[in-house]
Amino acid sequence: MKKLILLFLSIIMFNCNSNAQKTEQKTYKVSKTNAEWKSQLSPIAYHVLREAGTERPFSSPLNKNYKAGIYTCAGCDTPLFKSEHKFDSGTGWPSFDREIEGNVAFGSDNKLGYSRDEEHCATCGGHLGHVFNDGPKDTTGKRHCINGAALKFIPNK
């Protein structure tokens, strides 16, 4: 019986050292304290960018913005998406068929019980939204579903 208990405890000890327990902390070019982010961002932008939240669908004025320009990160002003790559997906969030290469980073989000491809700003790490494979087939086939609260729009001059 003692050997069985020792075996059981050993298995538990080894399982506690799995890679799932280890988190990699990435350092970003723009890094601020939570207090600094809260003072700079609106409550919804803070919730989306810093807490990986989601705004209500159809709540962002950028969803129906069709002007020419650049969409930048609301946290650090990094250019993320071009207006010519925006399309109306009908989902209620601004959608793009591609990002500005190098300015958007990708990861996995398993919060809903299944894996989704998460997007965040490569400069400050702010959560932007998710990318799906149901975008326009005549371009990239991708739908970058982005929270409007995570973006600023800079019109062309």
Side-chain angles (χ1 to χ4, degrees):
M1 184 67 169
K2 286 182 185 179
K3 287 182 182 180
L4 188 58
I5 291 173
L6 276 172
L7 177 65
F8 180 71
L9 289 174
S10 296
I11 291 171
I12 289 175
M13 296 280 287
F14 283 111
N15 283 337
C16 289
N17 289 325
S18 74
N19 286 335
Q21 299 288 325
K22 299 172 187 168
T23 57
E24 185 179 316
Q25 203 63 13
K26 178 151 173 35
T27 305
Y28 294 97
K29 188 189 267 186
V30 173
S31 182
K32 300 178 183 186
T33 66
N34 283 336
E36 289 171 321
W37 284 120
K38 278 185 179 180
S39 71
Q40 174 189 337
L41 300 169
S42 70
I44 186 64
Y46 179 84
H47 176 62
V48 169
L49 286 165
R50 308 317 311 168
E51 299 175 326
T54 302
E55 68 192 5
R56 284 186 349 268
F58 304 101
S59 65
S60 172
L62 294 180
N63 185 42
K64 295 291 184 181
N65 178 37
Y66 299 110
K67 298 175 187 162
I70 298 286
Y71 293 84
T72 67
C73 176
C76 69
D77 297 324
T78 297
L80 302 171
F81 302 96
K82 295 179 181 179
S83 61
E84 65 237 38
H85 301 134
K86 187 173 187 287
F87 67 97
D88 189 354
S89 66
T91 61
W93 291 279
S95 297
F96 305 86
D97 71 353
R98 71 196 77 175
E99 77 281 5
I100 294 175
E101 203 148 328
N103 293 354
V104 175
F106 300 90
S108 292
D109 172 6
N110 298 301
K111 290 181 201 146
L112 296 179
Y114 61 92
S115 186
R116 297 184 294 170
D117 293 328
E118 180 184 14
E119 295 185 73
H120 55 274
C121 175
T123 304
C124 72
H127 171 78
L128 303 172
H130 297 87
V131 62
F132 303 96
N133 291 318
D134 60 0
K137 299 294 181 221
D138 59 333
T139 61
T140 63
K142 301 288 184 187
R143 174 174 55 97
H144 297 260
C145 188
I146 307 300
N147 289 282
L151 301 172
K152 287 182 191 174
F153 178 72
I154 311 297
N156 288 347
K157 295 181 184 182

